Amino acid sequence: MKKIILATLAGAMIIGMTSCSSNKKLLECQEEYKTLQGNFQVSKEDLAAANARIAGLEGQLKVQQKANEDLQRSLEQSLSTGSQSNVNIAKLVDQINESNQYIRHLTELKSKSDSLNLILTNNLTRSLSREELKDIDVQVLKGVVYISLSDNMLFKTGSYEISNRAQETLGKIAKIITDYKDYDVLVEGNTDTVPIKKENIRNNWDLSCLRASSVVQYLQNNFGVDPKRLTAGGRGEYNPIADNDSDLGRQRNRRTQIIITPKLDEFMELIGQTPEN
């Protein structure tokens, strides 16, 4: 009889352990699904924004090409009728050449920026493991590479000390940064809206700045990244990418972004000006 009771108890314990294990896996799967769902929504939003920017740039190029065609027609008309002086015709030729040069530079520099960022992004994502990619999101927007790292991977809750888990990942990112020496790096801390309760941290502004500074110093001290290329900044709770009313939204907002910017001052100057008409 005792043997039967012991066997029954052992069977119940095994079933209980199996049930706990199954529940744990179910919870993990549910959390992973929520994360993937959130990342999918972000990707959709980023794609829509990217398509809008592409449409805007294409529209700008079309306007410039139309202006160029108008200039050429004016020149042809002037040559055929002889109604313009040689000085005015020369001016039209100069304007056409300037317009052509503007379009050529705009196209070439955009292509160069896209190619460099694509190579950089591919090199980074190939070096990251499947587990790391769960906590890292890499995007290219407006010619800038954004590497978003979750606070769960980088820090302990309410802390700005780099975790052991993050060391290998930051080493991979540091290698990309050092390989591309013509890029500047901004590290930007972001938090959710939950108030911080620490004696040495006054509020989320402090926490976001301290976290960004920790990452910058870690890249400099542990991996030799040139500090002249690094900038640390915090945006507190004021740069959310999701609703702070849900756990998933707050989790997405608690992040540190490493923003890698190519030095394309000439490109930005061209975007900000147009040739004389």
Side-chain angles (χ1 to χ4, degrees), residues 173-186:
I173 294 174
K175 185 179 186 308
I176 293 294
I177 293 172
T178 53
D179 285 346
Y180 292 84
K181 297 181 180 179
D182 292 332
Y183 284 59
D184 287 330
V185 181
L186 167 64

Side-chain angles (χ1 to χ4, degrees), residues 5-259:
I5 293 172
L6 289 172
T8 303
L9 289 172
M13 289 176 64
I14 292 171
I15 292 171
M17 290 172 65
T18 303
S19 176
C20 289
S21 176
S22 298
N23 288 338
K24 184 179 179 182
K25 285 186 177 180
L26 178 61
L27 289 173
E28 288 176 353
C29 289
Q30 287 175 338
E31 286 299 317
E32 186 173 357
Y33 172 74
K34 287 180 181 179
T35 301
L36 291 172
Q37 195 174 38
N39 290 340
F40 175 67
Q41 183 61 33
V42 172
S43 298
K44 280 174 50 179
E45 293 169 1
D46 289 341
L47 178 60
N51 287 337
R53 283 189 293 275
I54 290 171
L57 185 56
E58 288 175 346
Q60 184 180 356
L61 286 172
K62 285 181 180 177
V63 168
Q64 190 58 43
Q65 288 167 347
K66 176 67 167 54
N68 192 27
E69 290 172 1
D70 291 342
L71 286 170
Q72 288 178 336
R73 275 196 295 271
S74 296
L75 177 60
E76 291 170 0
Q77 189 176 27
S78 298
L79 291 172
S80 63
T81 61
S83 60
Q84 297 282 346
S85 69
N86 290 334
V87 173
N88 288 337
I89 290 174
K91 185 177 179 181
L92 279 173
V93 171
D94 289 340
Q95 287 178 350
I96 290 171
N97 289 335
E98 185 180 358
S99 179
N100 283 332
Q101 185 178 14
Y102 173 77
I103 293 171
R104 192 161 51 249
H105 277 306
L106 188 63
T107 304
E108 290 175 356
L109 289 172
K110 179 182 179 297
S111 177
K112 179 182 177 182
S113 174
D114 291 344
S115 298
L116 287 172
N117 288 329
L118 181 61
I119 293 170
L120 186 153
T121 304
N122 287 341
N123 286 347
L124 176 59
T125 52
R126 277 200 302 267
S127 70
L128 298 173
S129 67
R130 184 176 178 182
E131 288 299 315
E132 288 172 320
L133 287 171
K134 291 180 181 179
D135 294 302
I136 299 175
D137 183 43
V138 183
Q139 300 283 342
V140 178
L141 301 172
K142 296 183 180 179
V144 178
V145 178
Y146 293 83
I147 305 169
S148 185
L149 303 99
S150 70
D151 74 320
N152 292 333
M153 190 267 288
L154 278 178
F155 311 101
K156 294 179 181 179
T157 303
S159 171
Y160 55 87
E161 297 296 330
I162 302 294
S163 68
N164 293 333
R165 181 186 171 197
Q167 294 178 9
E168 184 177 353
T169 303
L170 288 176
K172 294 175 181 178
I173 294 174
K175 185 179 186 308
I176 293 294
I177 293 172
T178 53
D179 285 346
Y180 292 84
K181 297 181 180 179
D182 292 332
Y183 284 59
D184 287 330
V185 181
L186 167 64
V187 180
E188 182 184 274
N190 295 270
T191 72
D192 58 22
T193 54
V194 178
I196 185 72
K197 296 179 180 179
K198 295 277 186 178
E199 290 185 3
N200 60 333
I201 303 176
R202 293 172 297 180
N203 48 41
N204 283 328
W205 275 116
D206 279 0
L207 180 60
S208 64
C209 292
L210 287 167
R211 285 182 164 180
S213 179
S214 291
V215 173
V216 161
Q217 293 180 65
Y218 200 86
L219 292 172
Q220 175 188 351
N221 298 332
N222 292 71
F223 302 108
V225 177
D226 184 356
K228 294 178 182 178
R229 299 173 55 199
L230 298 171
T231 302
R235 302 190 67 176
E237 62 198 62
Y238 302 104
N239 184 35
I241 57 173
D243 195 333
N244 277 295
D245 293 333
S246 67
D247 289 338
L248 179 59
R250 288 190 292 272
Q251 179 183 336
R252 288 179 57 198
N253 290 333
R254 296 191 303 268
R255 69 200 188 281
T256 298
Q257 285 190 311
I258 299 177
I259 304 170

